[in-house]
Amino acid sequence: MQKSLSVYDSDGSTFVPLVVIELVSETKEEAIAWLLNRVRDKQQDGGAELLVEQLTPGAQGTEKDNPNVYVVGASWQRLLYGAEDVGFFKEFNDGSMRGFTYANKHNFKEFQGNLGMAECQYIIKHELDNLRAKDEAHVPGYPKMKLYPGKSVIRRMQSKGILVQVFPLHEKEELKRLSFSWFKKIKLSFQPLDDIRHYFGEGMALYFGFLEYFTLALIPMALIGIPYYLFDWEDYDKFTVFAGFNLVWCTVILELWKRLSASLAYGWGTLSRKKAFEEPRPGFHGVLGVNPVTGRAEPLYSNAKRQLRIYLVSVPFVLLCLYLSLYVMMIYFDMEGWALMIHDEEPTLWTGLLLFIPSIIYAVVIEIMNLIYRYAAEFLTGWENHRLESTFQNHLVLKVLVFNFFNCFASLFYIAFVMQDMVLLRQSLATLLITSQILNQIMEAFLPYWLQRRRNKKAHKRMIKTMEDKELPLSEQVKLEADMSTYLGTFDDYLELFLLFGYVSLFSCVYPLAAVLVVLNNVTEVYSDAFKMCKVFKRPFSEPAANIGVWQLAFEAMSVIAVVTNCALIGMSPQVKSYFPESETQLIMWVVGFEHFLLASKFILTFVIPDVPKHIQIKLSRLEFESLEALKKRHQKEPVYKRLTYRV
Amino acid sequence: MQKSLSVYDSDGSTFVPLVVIELVSETKEEAIAWLLNRVRDKQQDGGAELLVEQLTPGAQGTEKDNPNVYVVGASWQRLLYGAEDVGFFKEFNDGSMRGFTYANKHNFKEFQGNLGMAECQYIIKHELDNLRAKDEAHVPGYPKMKLYPGKSVIRRMQSKGILVQVFPLHEKEELKRLSFSWFKKIKLSFQPLDDIRHYFGEGMALYFGFLEYFTLALIPMALIGIPYYLFDWEDYDKFTVFAGFNLVWCTVILELWKRLSASLAYGWGTLSRKKAFEEPRPGFHGVLGVNPVTGRAEPLYSNAKRQLRIYLVSVPFVLLCLYLSLYVMMIYFDMEGWALMIHDEEPTLWTGLLLFIPSIIYAVVIEIMNLIYRYAAEFLTGWENHRLESTFQNHLVLKVLVFNFFNCFASLFYIAFVMQDMVLLRQSLATLLITSQILNQIMEAFLPYWLQRRRNKKAHKRMIKTMEDKELPLSEQVKLEADMSTYLGTFDDYLELFLLFGYVSLFSCVYPLAAVLVVLNNVTEVYSDAFKMCKVFKRPFSEPAANIGVWQLAFEAMSVIAVVTNCALIGMSPQVKSYFPESETQLIMWVVGFEHFLLASKFILTFVIPDVPKHIQIKLSRLEFESLEALKKRHQKEPVYKRLTYRV
């Protein structure tokens, strides 16, 4: 843990600032004093027992600066207790991963250095979120900001808007080292996943791990695809071989990823970590009642009402959007026909270029529609009032996935199966793929970076100090970071990969070059994503994750759809048709039979390949076995009266 | 717990005999003495701390009787400790299910009466199985019967054949009461599942629960099927409606069963029970090594060798058997054609009956082939040398399932899709269904019962005492029960249900009466199965089970195949064909599209319906939440030095 920066506690002792809390500048004094006291109070008294200090503005402090910025830290002992509370798994002396306990800390390997700053920040966030109201009826100074025993104080202040943000600080030294090994050197190598995990947490590291794995897994497909392009193999027999290879490959790589991510998650201690009980998400509202699980006072919202909102509003809305998307698609085809007509009348270089314009416009429109829909989906999912952040996310992902899938692929499906024009399909595929890649990389990393640089230059005109500056005082660093954009999670990054996977797999037998383009895109994607994480965004809180969650399912669903589309494309090819000259029925029966066979094989393969590698299974069952044995021994050795003492 | 029967311990105190151990009559004295000592030894000394006595032969004891029969029991306190060891979940004072602990026993509802005799017998079996060799190199008196530290003594003696059998005793009073409420009264009612569970354990109760649920679930299908038969609706439009209903219905009932079985298993305490580490199965052999999980000495067998045996011997053997089955099927069709020819030449009543003979012969041959194959499959799976009983069972189930499925349905598939003769299909379906039902019930319950009665009468010619006799002395009861057949588990019973489900679902749109026949069969099946459990077989050890395991998967797979077959049958019907008079291709596309839609809906439905009902989910998460909270409180209250004491 970096110890270079430190601030003085009220007792005069120093501590390392880990997390920043920003309140709105006009917050009432009594509310601030109350909050700080609650944060500092001993745990026995219901406090968080953390260290917190107001940030003293630096020399360049202007009047415009918000004075209500606080830095939070904790004593080393408090952090270790916290590590036990959040249930971190750490490497034990014998090389296995075990639940960290304070009492047993000396038996963990390098337990001093084993707790990274990101983990400390996660602990602080956890403790702040768990700071609960006692008997206060409202936040002092704000009679309308109701509280009830057990309500998370921070979440209430956040949802009512007094609390602007809570964010973890970057570590300049670490960040510099990470940037260097990650994206600043030119030499070809794997990403430093352990360092990424150390700095950004497991969720982020799994995303980058998946991105890298996905890219590597596509390389064989890309290599096989290149000769198709070079030698102009417009031969469906060869395409069929390619598609068959793809279908098996997709299933295998998705299964192997599960095993790889289990290995990674085991090494990071998140595989066997038990999740704590999930609290309601900040935006959740309802009538105050008693949670049947915790017995705590908590807002309740009837499930029936939520279902009504989902089925009577959200579902029709999504269907309407899909219809709109179809409508736009039909306009695109009209434009396409019109461009073709002009080109056929007077074929020049310019009209040749004109042929690409409808596709480009359509790609841009699709991106815009996706963006607008995304906001609408977020609003609607919020309005559905889900109790948990995880169910909120699942519903949001589902809505956005369906629309994006439809938006991106509807025109390709139309061209492939209604128009049955393979040349146009290939051309559209190429245009869509390339346009969306370029747009994405601009929108995602360089635009925010450029905007922020401009803003920073305006704000701090006289001082040209930037994040890179080593001797930047704490107050300046906090100010700079507070102004950085907030990273909204891995959602968009996964979505992009998902759509790219669709371009590669759905029509792979028509356009083998897609894999090459996606590989090229992913290589730059690694750099631009790494760049944006290190330079553009505030440091996000680390998220302990054991797998890529709902995305695994989404990718698997895509690979099932790919079997269906590829079989249909193969069945439509003239070469395959020529095998059944007399009867089209027989051709279709064969194709359908082949498709069913492939689908069945996929499911059997998914079932046969174990999700967790053998050596990790052994370690996991060893841990379980030992805890069972320990329990037994305890029963045999200890007299009955002693047993009663620690059973609750 | 029944206390009427009791034997005297060596100390002069009485105990209730629970389990019988039978050794071969010529077992050496020193081996017997050693075994009894180990069973009686204190747990600290590595014994099982159970009570065991030799059975004194009754007045009618003849010289032929085996003297080496022992009854095992335990003190009440030992049983309660055992209940904690095996991890039973019992009803707590607050109505939730919690892991039973001896120290906390007073907080469990009716903890005295809460432990049934079947559970006590399970505990004794568990403790006997866990009796491990210490430093003995072999069983005393048998230098060839090698032991090594940690080897289960009972399993070694069983696999070497000195130990004939270990079985739990019936409770005559309880059995009488159970029989009466289960199958002796005529009045229509649900089965007494809780009583069945109490007497035979959760595995058996879940089987009977599933049998009942399955029967009830088929009633709507049967009711809709009856008018088809009565009014001779040979109308494919109506059949299509029926098939559509069936497909949705099958998915829904299988999903709802998961929820119901979760409810049952929660109430019986098996849903959240953690499984102990699984020991190698008795027949497993290999080179002595160290188990990586337990660290104990244990035979090891390389997985690669096992895979070789599976893929190079078992798989080819299964394929060969499938080929043979196909060959027999072709002979059946020749016979069928020959009978039809005779009937066409001279149609009389006798030749009309002759038409059914090939089907009946085929059904009998199928049953015989299934029986022979079953033995071969058991031998092969044993030879594959699986380490765990559960993987052994899975491989056996898979082998038997594939062959039985093929054997029972291949001819029907051939008639339906190759010959496309719907009248013959219906006729074969009816013959196969009825013949196999009648054969099954005879083979399963009445034949063994009759054989055993004959044997018993021969053996005990002079005394006409039977199980029903109330004043039967213990030694006579034990002798009678030892001679009863051993129940080999629920495998065959589930397999029968699985095949019946196939008859109902696969071709439902051709023969709607199948559901009626299956319902009728199941009603008698409940009675014959109940009868055989109570009268024909030795009491089996209870098996804690939380669900029906691999059978859920098998039934789901069958319902997926049913979607495919029914869609194909609908597509082949003349009525549906008449909608697409000009193009057969379009018809097939529609049918395939419809089939894909149905399959997709099935998967979505499986995904959307939660497997565990909400109220049980809440109870489970409440328990988890409380244990997390308890852990936290412990950390906050207890000083550090005390923490160290009970962490292992």
Side-chain angles (χ1 to χ4, degrees):
Chain A
M1 215 173 107
Q2 176 204 30
K3 306 240 177 197
S4 63
L5 274 173
S6 54
V7 294
Y8 283 91
D9 190 13
S10 43
D11 304 341
S13 58
T14 65
F15 70 91
V16 183
L18 293 167
V19 170
V20 174
I21 297 181
E22 186 178 352
L23 300 168
V24 289
S25 55
E26 62 271 20
T27 314
K28 294 200 178 144
E29 284 299 324
E30 49 198 304
I32 296 177
W34 169 77
L35 178 66
L36 295 185
N37 272 334
R38 291 299 316 275
V39 172
R40 284 183 189 131
D41 269 356
K42 290 238 177 297
Q43 282 191 284
Q44 288 102 300
D45 309 331
E49 217 169 330
L50 300 173
L51 306 171
V52 58
E53 274 313 309
Q54 187 164 18
L55 194 73
T56 45
Q60 292 96 346
T62 61
E63 279 148 37
K64 267 176 65 192
D65 285 344
N66 181 358
N68 290 329
V69 178
Y70 299 85
V71 288
V72 185
S75 70
W76 187 241
Q77 174 157 335
R78 178 74 189 84
L79 287 174
L80 289 182
Y81 274 114
E84 185 172 349
D85 280 351
V86 297
F88 279 149
F89 268 62
K90 290 283 165 192
E91 195 175 358
F92 206 64
N93 269 341
D94 65 354
S96 67
M97 304 296 297
R98 277 152 202 259
F100 180 81
T101 58
Y102 184 85
N104 225 353
K105 63 179 185 290
H106 296 284
N107 289 327
F108 285 86
K109 262 190 193 162
E110 323 158 22
F111 81 98
Q112 287 283 354
N114 220 339
L115 215 56
M117 184 154 162
E119 284 174 317
C120 295
Q121 289 166 335
Y122 177 78
I123 292 168
I124 296 220
K125 175 172 181 267
H126 176 261
E127 301 296 343
L128 284 176
D129 276 346
N130 269 308
L131 196 61
R132 293 170 189 292
K134 289 186 293 191
D135 38 12
E136 302 94 339
H138 57 85
V139 177
Y142 294 90
K144 281 191 178 162
M145 221 170 278
K146 294 272 187 297
L147 288 173
Y148 47 85
K151 173 71 190 173
S152 162
V153 169
I154 293 286
R155 292 198 168 196
R156 172 49 46 104
M157 292 177 83
Q158 207 159 15
S159 67
K160 290 291 180 185
I162 327 184
L163 188 75
V164 182
Q165 56 181 353
V166 178
F167 66 89
L169 279 170
H170 270 298
E171 297 157 275
K172 281 185 291 174
E173 282 301 302
E174 274 294 309
L175 188 62
K176 216 169 180 178
R177 215 175 313 142
L178 178 65
S179 313
F180 184 77
S181 66
W182 198 1
F183 61 91
K184 281 203 173 156
K185 58 173 183 203
I186 308 295
K187 123 171 164 292
L188 203 74
S189 67
F190 293 112
Q191 293 174 84
L193 285 187
D194 282 324
D195 295 341
I196 299 171
R197 176 245 165 184
H198 208 256
Y199 195 88
F200 288 112
E202 289 81 14
M204 194 67 67
L206 275 177
Y207 165 69
F208 281 101
F210 183 67
L211 176 57
E212 183 173 280
Y213 174 83
F214 181 52
T215 312
L216 291 176
L218 285 181
I219 286 178
M221 274 163 81
L223 288 181
I224 300 178
I226 288 174
Y228 281 84
Y229 183 74
L230 292 181
F231 306 128
D232 239 358
W233 286 347
E234 297 280 305
D235 180 346
Y236 268 90
D237 272 4
K238 294 205 180 68
F239 279 173
T240 308
V241 173
F242 186 70
F245 168 75
N246 267 11
L247 296 179
V248 177
W249 190 239
C250 286
T251 312
V252 172
I253 59 173
L254 286 176
E255 279 305 301
L256 292 184
W257 166 251
K258 268 193 234 163
R259 293 166 66 88
L260 180 62
S261 80
S263 295
L264 287 173
Y266 180 79
W268 295 337
T270 48
L271 190 63
S272 31
R273 184 172 168 257
K274 278 209 185 86
K275 266 191 199 156
F277 184 77
E278 250 187 295
E279 295 291 317
R281 60 188 296 268
F284 179 67
H285 55 86
V287 184
L288 201 63
V290 173
N291 183 306
V293 175
T294 59
R296 284 185 199 146
E298 192 183 286
L300 298 179
Y301 187 75
S302 110
N303 202 35
K305 269 195 207 164
R306 186 178 303 126
Q307 299 288 336
L308 277 183
R309 287 188 174 186
I310 292 176
Y311 290 109
L312 294 186
V313 180
S314 296
V315 172
F317 174 80
V318 172
L319 292 178
L320 187 77
C321 288
L322 294 183
Y323 175 76
L324 236 156
S325 158
L326 259 188
Y327 193 79
V328 170
M329 185 186 87
M330 296 320 287
I331 294 177
Y332 156 63
F333 284 116
D334 285 348
M335 275 166 56
E336 189 79 46
W338 172 75
L340 208 67
M341 207 177 64
I342 291 182
H343 180 67
D344 282 351
E345 271 174 20
E346 247 185 293
T348 66
L349 179 69
W350 291 108
T351 56
L353 280 178
L354 189 69
L355 278 180
F356 284 92
I357 289 193
S359 297
I360 294 172
I361 294 180
Y362 184 53
V364 173
V365 170
I366 280 182
E367 284 295 320
I368 294 172
M369 280 169 67
N370 279 343
L371 224 65
I372 297 174
Y373 177 83
R374 176 69 189 279
Y375 284 106
E378 259 170 44
F379 173 77
L380 266 181
T381 318
W383 178 72
E384 285 166 15
N385 202 13
H386 294 279
R387 190 181 158 271
L388 300 180
E389 185 63 30
S390 57
T391 41
F392 172 86
Q393 284 297 338
N394 284 346
H395 278 257
L396 181 61
V397 167
L398 188 67
K399 279 197 193 68
V400 175
L401 264 194
V402 169
F403 185 75
N404 273 273
F405 181 85
F406 198 80
N407 228 350
C408 287
F409 300 118
S411 67
L412 299 175
F413 274 94
Y414 186 83
I415 297 171
F417 300 113
V418 180
M419 296 165 68
Q420 308 207 350
D421 182 344
M422 293 304 134
V423 179
L424 182 60
L425 177 61
R426 202 169 311 150
Q427 187 188 315
S428 305
L429 198 57
T431 324
L432 271 177
L433 191 52
I434 296 169
T435 326
S436 71
Q437 279 174 25
I438 295 174
L439 271 179
N440 254 320
Q441 305 229 345
I442 294 176
M443 299 280 288
E444 219 178 73
F446 300 102
L447 195 67
Y449 182 68
W450 178 74
L451 281 176
Q452 186 196 307
R453 273 194 91 101
R454 235 187 43 171
R455 203 172 23 182
N456 276 354
K457 267 186 190 152
K458 254 189 197 164
H460 309 264
K461 237 178 192 165
R462 268 165 300 178
M463 58 146 210
I464 320 165
K465 280 172 179 159
T466 61
M467 276 290 295
E468 263 99 282
D469 197 332
K470 220 176 168 181
E471 275 109 65
L472 196 66
L474 179 65
S475 65
E476 288 300 317
Q477 191 198 333
V478 170
K479 220 175 286 165
L480 267 174
E481 290 189 26
D483 282 345
M484 286 167 110
S485 319
T486 305
Y487 180 66
L488 295 169
T490 46
F491 184 100
D492 286 299
D493 298 314
Y494 276 118
L495 182 63
E496 200 188 326
L497 283 189
F498 174 74
L499 295 177
L500 289 178
F501 182 60
Y503 286 120
V504 179
S505 59
L506 288 180
F507 305 99
S508 60
C509 64
V510 181
Y511 189 54
L513 208 64
V516 182
L517 290 176
V518 171
V519 167
L520 289 179
N521 172 73
N522 280 4
V523 172
T524 58
E525 179 87 23
V526 169
Y527 287 95
S528 70
D529 280 353
F531 176 78
K532 83 178 180 201
M533 288 317 304
C534 294
K535 303 279 170 185
V536 179
F537 290 116
K538 272 190 204 81
R539 183 177 193 168
F541 277 111
S542 82
E543 252 180 278
N547 49 51
I548 61 172
V550 67
W551 292 102
Q552 180 80 37
L553 209 69
F555 276 78
E556 278 166 15
M558 181 71 95
S559 79
V560 170
I561 298 172
V563 170
V564 180
T565 53
N566 279 295
C567 283
L569 286 175
I570 291 171
M572 276 158 42
S573 69
Q575 273 88 348
V576 173
K577 272 184 184 159
S578 66
Y579 286 124
F580 301 92
E582 71 286 356
S583 151
E584 207 178 6
T585 313
Q586 234 186 344
L587 160 71
I588 299 180
M589 297 301 273
W590 270 103
V591 170
V592 170
F594 182 63
E595 185 225 359
H596 280 70
F597 169 76
L598 277 179
L599 285 178
S601 319
K602 259 184 88 76
F603 281 101
I604 292 173
L605 212 60
T606 312
F607 202 75
V608 166
I609 301 178
D611 288 356
V612 177
K614 188 88 184 171
H615 67 279
I616 290 182
Q617 266 175 26
I618 288 178
K619 281 183 182 166
L620 290 179
S621 32
R622 186 175 173 85
L623 200 64
E624 206 174 316
F625 174 75
E626 279 174 9
S627 74
L628 279 174
E629 287 293 297
L631 209 71
K632 260 189 221 163
K633 269 183 202 145
R634 217 167 75 195
H635 293 161
Q636 284 167 20
K637 278 180 193 159
E638 291 174 17
V640 175
Y641 74 88
K642 202 176 165 191
R643 285 198 193 181
L644 273 166
T645 56
Y646 59 84
R647 276 193 206 289
V648 189
Chain B
M1 214 174 105
Q2 176 204 29
K3 306 238 177 199
S4 63
L5 274 172
S6 54
V7 293
Y8 283 91
D9 189 14
S10 43
D11 302 342
S13 58
T14 65
F15 70 92
V16 181
L18 293 169
V19 170
V20 175
I21 298 181
E22 185 180 351
L23 300 169
V24 288
S25 55
E26 61 272 19
T27 313
K28 296 202 177 139
E29 283 299 323
E30 48 197 306
I32 297 177
W34 168 76
L35 178 66
L36 295 186
N37 272 335
R38 290 300 315 274
V39 172
R40 283 182 190 130
D41 268 357
K42 291 238 177 296
Q43 280 191 287
Q44 290 101 299
D45 308 332
E49 216 168 331
L50 300 175
L51 307 171
V52 56
E53 274 313 309
Q54 187 164 16
L55 193 74
T56 45
Q60 294 94 347
T62 61
E63 279 150 39
K64 267 177 65 190
D65 284 345
N66 180 358
N68 290 329
V69 178
Y70 298 86
V71 287
V72 185
S75 70
W76 188 241
Q77 172 156 334
R78 178 73 190 86
L79 286 173
L80 290 181
Y81 273 115
E84 184 172 349
D85 280 352
V86 297
F88 280 149
F89 269 61
K90 291 282 164 194
E91 197 176 358
F92 207 63
N93 268 340
D94 65 353
S96 67
M97 304 296 296
R98 277 152 202 261
F100 180 81
T101 57
Y102 184 84
N104 225 355
K105 62 177 186 289
H106 296 284
N107 290 326
F108 286 86
K109 264 190 193 162
E110 322 157 23
F111 80 96
Q112 287 283 356
N114 219 339
L115 214 56
M117 185 155 160
E119 283 173 319
C120 294
Q121 289 166 335
Y122 178 78
I123 293 169
I124 294 215
K125 174 170 183 270
H126 176 260
E127 301 296 343
L128 284 176
D129 276 346
N130 268 308
L131 196 62
R132 292 169 189 293
K134 290 186 290 189
D135 37 13
E136 300 95 338
H138 56 85
V139 175
Y142 294 90
K144 280 190 179 164
M145 221 171 278
K146 294 270 188 298
L147 288 173
Y148 48 85
K151 173 72 190 172
S152 162
V153 169
I154 293 286
R155 293 198 167 197
R156 171 49 45 102
M157 291 176 84
Q158 207 158 15
S159 67
K160 290 291 180 184
I162 325 184
L163 189 75
V164 182
Q165 56 183 353
V166 179
F167 66 90
L169 280 170
H170 270 296
E171 297 158 274
K172 280 185 290 173
E173 282 302 302
E174 274 294 308
L175 189 61
K176 216 169 182 180
R177 215 174 313 142
L178 178 65
S179 311
F180 185 76
S181 67
W182 199 0
F183 61 89
K184 282 204 173 156
K185 58 173 182 200
I186 307 295
K187 124 172 158 308
L188 204 74
S189 68
F190 292 111
Q191 294 174 81
L193 284 188
D194 282 324
D195 295 341
I196 298 171
R197 176 244 166 184
H198 208 256
Y199 196 88
F200 288 111
E202 291 81 15
M204 194 67 67
L206 275 177
Y207 165 70
F208 281 101
F210 182 67
L211 175 58
E212 182 173 281
Y213 174 82
F214 181 53
T215 311
L216 290 177
L218 284 182
I219 285 178
M221 274 163 79
L223 288 181
I224 301 179
I226 288 173
Y228 281 84
Y229 182 73
L230 292 182
F231 306 127
D232 239 359
W233 285 346
E234 296 280 306
D235 181 345
Y236 268 91
D237 271 6
K238 293 204 182 67
F239 280 174
T240 307
V241 172
F242 186 71
F245 168 75
N246 266 11
L247 296 178
V248 177
W249 189 240
C250 286
T251 312
V252 172
I253 58 172
L254 286 176
E255 279 305 300
L256 292 184
W257 165 252
K258 268 194 235 166
R259 294 165 64 88
L260 180 62
S261 80
S263 295
L264 287 173
Y266 180 79
W268 296 338
T270 49
L271 190 63
S272 31
R273 182 170 171 258
K274 280 212 184 83
K275 266 190 201 158
F277 184 78
E278 250 187 294
E279 295 292 316
R281 59 187 298 267
F284 179 68
H285 55 88
V287 184
L288 201 65
V290 174
N291 183 307
V293 175
T294 59
R296 283 187 199 144
E298 193 184 285
L300 297 180
Y301 188 76
S302 113
N303 202 36
K305 268 194 207 164
R306 187 178 302 127
Q307 299 287 337
L308 277 182
R309 287 187 174 186
I310 291 175
Y311 290 109
L312 294 187
V313 180
S314 296
V315 172
F317 174 79
V318 172
L319 292 178
L320 186 77
C321 288
L322 294 183
Y323 175 77
L324 236 156
S325 158
L326 259 189
Y327 193 78
V328 170
M329 186 186 86
M330 295 321 287
I331 294 176
Y332 157 62
F333 283 116
D334 285 347
M335 273 165 60
E336 190 79 48
W338 172 74
L340 207 67
M341 208 178 62
I342 290 179
H343 180 67
D344 281 351
E345 272 173 19
E346 248 185 291
T348 64
L349 179 70
W350 291 107
T351 56
L353 280 178
L354 189 69
L355 278 181
F356 283 92
I357 288 190
S359 297
I360 293 173
I361 293 180
Y362 185 54
V364 173
V365 169
I366 281 183
E367 284 296 319
I368 294 171
M369 280 169 67
N370 279 344
L371 223 65
I372 297 174
Y373 177 82
R374 176 70 189 278
Y375 283 107
E378 258 171 45
F379 172 78
L380 267 181
T381 317
W383 180 71
E384 284 166 14
N385 201 13
H386 294 279
R387 191 182 158 272
L388 299 181
E389 185 63 31
S390 58
T391 41
F392 172 85
Q393 285 297 338
N394 284 346
H395 278 258
L396 181 61
V397 167
L398 189 67
K399 279 198 194 67
V400 175
L401 263 194
V402 169
F403 185 74
N404 273 273
F405 181 84
F406 198 81
N407 228 349
C408 287
F409 300 118
S411 67
L412 299 176
F413 273 94
Y414 186 81
I415 296 172
F417 301 113
V418 181
M419 295 164 71
Q420 306 206 354
D421 182 343
M422 292 305 133
V423 180
L424 183 60
L425 178 61
R426 204 168 309 149
Q427 186 189 315
S428 306
L429 198 56
T431 324
L432 272 178
L433 191 53
I434 296 169
T435 325
S436 72
Q437 278 174 24
I438 294 173
L439 271 180
N440 255 319
Q441 303 229 346
I442 293 175
M443 298 281 287
E444 220 176 72
F446 298 103
L447 194 67
Y449 182 67
W450 178 73
L451 281 176
Q452 185 195 309
R453 273 194 92 101
R454 233 186 46 169
R455 203 171 24 181
N456 275 355
K457 267 189 191 149
K458 254 190 192 164
H460 309 265
K461 239 177 192 164
R462 268 165 301 179
M463 58 148 208
I464 320 165
K465 281 172 179 158
T466 62
M467 276 292 292
E468 263 100 283
D469 198 332
K470 219 176 168 182
E471 276 110 65
L472 197 65
L474 179 66
S475 64
E476 288 300 316
Q477 191 198 333
V478 170
K479 219 174 286 165
L480 268 175
E481 289 189 27
D483 283 344
M484 287 169 110
S485 319
T486 306
Y487 180 66
L488 294 169
T490 47
F491 184 99
D492 286 298
D493 297 315
Y494 276 118
L495 182 63
E496 200 188 328
L497 283 189
F498 173 75
L499 295 176
L500 289 178
F501 182 61
Y503 286 121
V504 179
S505 59
L506 288 180
F507 305 98
S508 60
C509 64
V510 180
Y511 189 53
L513 208 64
V516 181
L517 289 176
V518 171
V519 167
L520 287 179
N521 172 73
N522 281 4
V523 171
T524 57
E525 179 87 23
V526 169
Y527 286 95
S528 70
D529 280 354
F531 176 78
K532 83 177 180 201
M533 289 317 304
C534 294
K535 303 280 170 183
V536 179
F537 289 115
K538 273 191 204 80
R539 184 176 192 169
F541 277 109
S542 82
E543 251 180 279
N547 50 50
I548 60 172
V550 67
W551 293 102
Q552 179 81 36
L553 208 70
F555 275 78
E556 277 166 15
M558 180 71 94
S559 80
V560 170
I561 299 173
V563 170
V564 180
T565 53
N566 279 295
C567 284
L569 286 174
I570 291 170
M572 275 157 42
S573 70
Q575 274 90 344
V576 173
K577 271 183 183 160
S578 67
Y579 286 124
F580 300 91
E582 71 285 357
S583 153
E584 207 178 5
T585 313
Q586 236 185 341
L587 160 71
I588 298 180
M589 298 301 271
W590 270 102
V591 171
V592 171
F594 182 64
E595 185 226 357
H596 280 71
F597 169 76
L598 277 179
L599 286 177
S601 316
K602 259 185 87 76
F603 281 100
I604 293 173
L605 212 61
T606 312
F607 203 73
V608 166
I609 301 178
D611 287 356
V612 178
K614 189 87 183 169
H615 67 278
I616 288 181
Q617 267 175 24
I618 288 178
K619 281 183 182 166
L620 290 179
S621 34
R622 186 175 172 86
L623 199 65
E624 205 173 318
F625 174 76
E626 279 174 10
S627 75
L628 280 174
E629 287 294 296
L631 208 73
K632 259 188 221 162
K633 268 182 206 148
R634 217 167 75 192
H635 293 161
Q636 284 166 21
K637 278 181 194 158
E638 291 175 17
V640 175
Y641 73 88
K642 201 176 167 194
R643 285 199 192 180
L644 273 166
T645 55
Y646 59 84
R647 278 196 202 289
V648 189

